[in-house]
Amino acid sequence: MLGKLLKYDYKANIFYFLLMYAVLMGAAVVARLSIAAADIQYFSFSDDHVLSVMAMVGSVLFYSLICGAVAVLTLLLIAMRFYKNLMGNEGYLTFTLPVPKSSHLISKMISGVSLVLLTYLALVLSAMVLTVGMDFWDSPVAVFSWRLLEAVRFDHPLIASLYCLEGLVTVIQVVAVVYFSICVGQLAGRHRVLGAIGIYLAVNVVIGIIAALGSTIFMRLLHGYEGGVFYYGITSTVTILFHGIVAAGCLMGSFLLMKWKLNLE
Amino acid sequence: MNSILECRNLEKSYNGGRSRALKGISLSLGKGRIIGLLGPNGSGKTTFIKLINGLLTPDGGELYIGGYPVGVETKHMISYLPEVTYLGSSMKVHQIISYFEDFYRDFDSGRAYEMLYRLNINPGDRLKAMSKGTREKVQLIMVMSRNTSLYVLDEPIGGVDPAARDYILSTIVSNYNPDATILLSTHLIADVEQILDDVIFLQEGSVMLAESAERLKKEKGCSVDAVFREVFRC
């Protein structure tokens, strides 16, 4: 049954995601072409150079805007699918399917997390489109970025693996917090959307405060070890554990609310 | 076991207990019966139906369907028609049929297509392109195309014209297994009373009357509709 739930979760969203990725790639291609056009104008010493530079700046800005919009829309679409399918009118059908409530949550988690990862992949691909044929890797931005990564020991295989795992667990936590907020929000009766937004903000503030306090204490404890593999390894491990605990707590909370406090009024 | 549903002291409140929708009702629904769940607005009919379907969690009491507490097993046994449109509006009718086929092993797609054909509904049409009445018919077709033990229909004829009501009632009667039970909630008692075996009157969250429709008519010497009007006179 989980496979069937997943099939319908992907089916419900795939059109919007593909459309979004098409717009993103389109914006990247336009930005790349405008950069190329500005280069040609520059080397031909044409009078149209100013115009082509303006077009380039505009299209790169537009591409950046689209990147931001794609990231926000991804989360919004995932939240909307969860809300509509479980807490809206569709919930009358979804919750009467002969499927355990845990399967609904697992299906939504798998589809939500995989769609966020797909969006990451689309953003990386679009960035590659933007920089194709350019000496990007020798540019000051790329050199600076690589130095930054080296400084946090991304060049070390173990640390790099921990950072990747940290990224995955963070995505799981972000999606779990969204679902938990919607599950708590449905208890607010007619103000369920407003309630969900309030809970989402409150949970994130609490996570932020705990993370800030924790990192301050942790940096003091690790004083003298800064910069080494041990320092970044232990920092990343603790971050993974923290996000993992928050995600597990939110998922357990969502499951218990769906099991005992479901309220499709 | 002759009953498909048993509940004892079933309670449900809203607004943190300030509004009591069900005040400890106890009922037993027999197998193979068509039962009318009748009562004025706010009497607790929809709350009771949602509890049966696991869409609300009771505050107290016990509820068993086919001997099981509400859960995955009971959802196999219940075919539910809510008063809202619960199908995705962007779905085409044949996609809805595939959906039901995927999740309900007792779903008879042949019967569904036959009913669609008789009602002149194109399986390729999207739900959002249909009138409210046609959407309700599509939902009813999906619900009645299952071969299950308990059909729970919440206001199945509430939003359709009188001609469609007759069709819907004949669909209900002709498409269910005689061993199955139908629990039907409605305000339009005159339209349904000819098919009812039993009636349950709910008032302010309590069972006021649970009786065989025939016996009630004999005792009172009038129709169920007339009894209802007398009992719930404003």
Side-chain angles (χ1 to χ4, degrees), chain A residues 4 7-8 92 95 263-264, chain B residues 50 56-57 75 102 104:
Chain A
K4 288 174 185 171
K7 181 177 92 174
Y8 286 100
Y92 283 78
F95 280 119
N263 214 2
L264 290 188
Chain B
K50 285 182 181 176
L56 290 174
T57 317
K75 286 170 187 179
D102 269 347
Y104 297 111

Side-chain angles (χ1 to χ4, degrees), chain A residues 1-254:
Chain A
M1 285 291 188
L2 182 63
K4 288 174 185 171
L5 289 174
L6 272 170
K7 181 177 92 174
Y8 286 100
D9 275 337
Y10 284 123
K11 259 186 165 178
N13 264 335
I14 201 70
F15 171 75
Y16 303 107
F17 275 85
L18 289 178
L19 186 71
M20 209 162 66
Y21 298 152
V23 171
L24 176 68
M25 289 302 166
V29 169
V30 170
R32 179 67 191 96
L33 290 175
S34 68
I35 291 169
D39 277 351
I40 293 165
Q41 297 288 346
Y42 180 75
F43 287 113
S44 64
F45 301 104
S46 159
D47 291 341
D48 294 335
H49 180 56
V50 176
L51 270 177
S52 58
V53 166
M54 280 173 68
M56 179 192 78
V57 171
S59 59
V60 170
L61 273 177
F62 178 69
Y63 165 74
S64 313
L65 208 70
I66 293 289
C67 285
V70 163
V72 173
L73 274 175
T74 295
L75 218 54
L76 208 62
L77 283 170
I78 291 167
M80 277 169 64
R81 169 71 186 158
F82 187 87
Y83 178 78
K84 267 180 73 178
N85 192 238
L86 296 178
M87 304 301 166
N89 281 356
E90 281 180 32
Y92 283 78
L93 178 59
T94 310
F95 280 119
T96 48
L97 296 174
V99 175
K101 283 173 180 157
S102 56
S103 296
H104 290 300
L105 194 57
I106 293 168
S107 163
K108 294 285 181 288
M109 273 312 290
I110 294 174
S111 62
V113 169
S114 60
L115 287 170
V116 172
L117 294 177
L118 200 65
T119 295
Y120 273 136
L121 191 69
L123 287 168
V124 170
L125 281 174
S126 73
M128 286 167 78
V129 168
L130 188 71
T131 56
V132 72
M134 287 164 60
D135 297 329
F136 177 74
W137 299 108
D138 295 325
S139 69
V141 174
V143 171
F144 175 75
S145 303
W146 183 243
R147 290 268 158 79
L148 208 64
L149 287 172
E150 275 182 334
V152 294
R153 300 311 310 268
F154 198 78
D155 53 334
H156 193 283
L158 175 70
I159 303 297
S161 310
L162 280 173
Y163 284 154
C164 290
L165 186 62
E166 193 182 318
L168 178 67
V169 177
T170 306
V171 170
I172 293 172
Q173 183 220 271
V174 168
V175 176
V177 169
V178 169
Y179 291 169
F180 176 69
S181 307
I182 295 170
C183 287
V184 179
Q186 57 111 21
L187 300 174
R190 288 178 188 172
H191 307 290
R192 44 184 56 199
V193 175
L194 212 61
I197 294 169
I199 294 294
Y200 179 75
L201 294 174
V203 170
N204 276 298
V205 166
V206 172
I207 291 171
I209 291 169
I210 294 171
L213 282 174
S215 57
T216 309
I217 295 165
F218 210 68
M219 280 161 94
R220 286 197 177 176
L221 286 173
L222 289 176
H223 185 65
Y225 293 97
E226 290 94 337
V229 169
F230 173 75
Y231 177 82
Y232 288 109
I234 204 89
T235 310
S236 187
T237 306
V238 170
T239 310
I240 289 167
L241 282 174
F242 174 66
H243 288 314
I245 290 167
V246 173
C250 285
L251 285 176
M252 185 53 78
S254 304

Side-chain angles (χ1 to χ4, degrees), chain B residues 80-91:
Chain B
Y80 169 50
L81 180 79
E83 46 179 351
V84 298
T85 303
Y86 66 0
L87 302 168
S89 59
S90 59
M91 285 176 101

Side-chain angles (χ1 to χ4, degrees), chain B residues 41-165:
Chain B
N41 289 333
S43 57
K45 301 188 298 290
T46 297
T47 298
F48 181 51
I49 284 174
K50 285 182 181 176
L51 288 170
I52 293 170
N53 285 288
L55 297 174
L56 290 174
T57 317
D59 297 330
E62 294 172 329
L63 174 60
Y64 295 96
I65 292 130
Y68 293 95
V70 175
V72 177
E73 291 85 1
T74 66
K75 286 170 187 179
H76 278 295
M77 298 178 210
I78 303 172
S79 193
Y80 169 50
L81 180 79
E83 46 179 351
V84 298
T85 303
Y86 66 0
L87 302 168
S89 59
S90 59
M91 285 176 101
K92 291 180 178 175
V93 178
H94 69 82
Q95 290 172 327
I96 297 167
I97 290 176
S98 303
Y99 186 90
F100 272 71
E101 261 183 326
D102 269 347
F103 287 103
Y104 297 111
R105 57 187 175 218
D106 56 15
F107 186 77
D108 183 347
S109 58
R111 192 197 292 177
Y113 279 112
E114 193 188 309
M115 282 196 267
L116 286 170
Y117 177 76
R118 270 196 279 146
L119 272 174
N120 211 16
I121 297 172
N122 180 5
D125 285 352
R126 285 186 197 280
L127 220 58
K128 64 182 169 193
M130 294 174 179
S131 67
K132 186 173 178 273
T134 311
R135 279 202 299 268
E136 289 191 4
K137 284 175 197 163
V138 171
Q139 282 202 160
L140 183 75
I141 287 170
M142 298 304 134
V143 170
M144 296 313 294
S145 295
R146 286 184 60 198
N147 294 304
T148 191
S149 322
L150 177 61
Y151 296 86
V152 180
L153 315 176
D154 196 358
E155 297 287 354
I157 54 171
V160 292
D161 58 78
R165 277 177 208 167

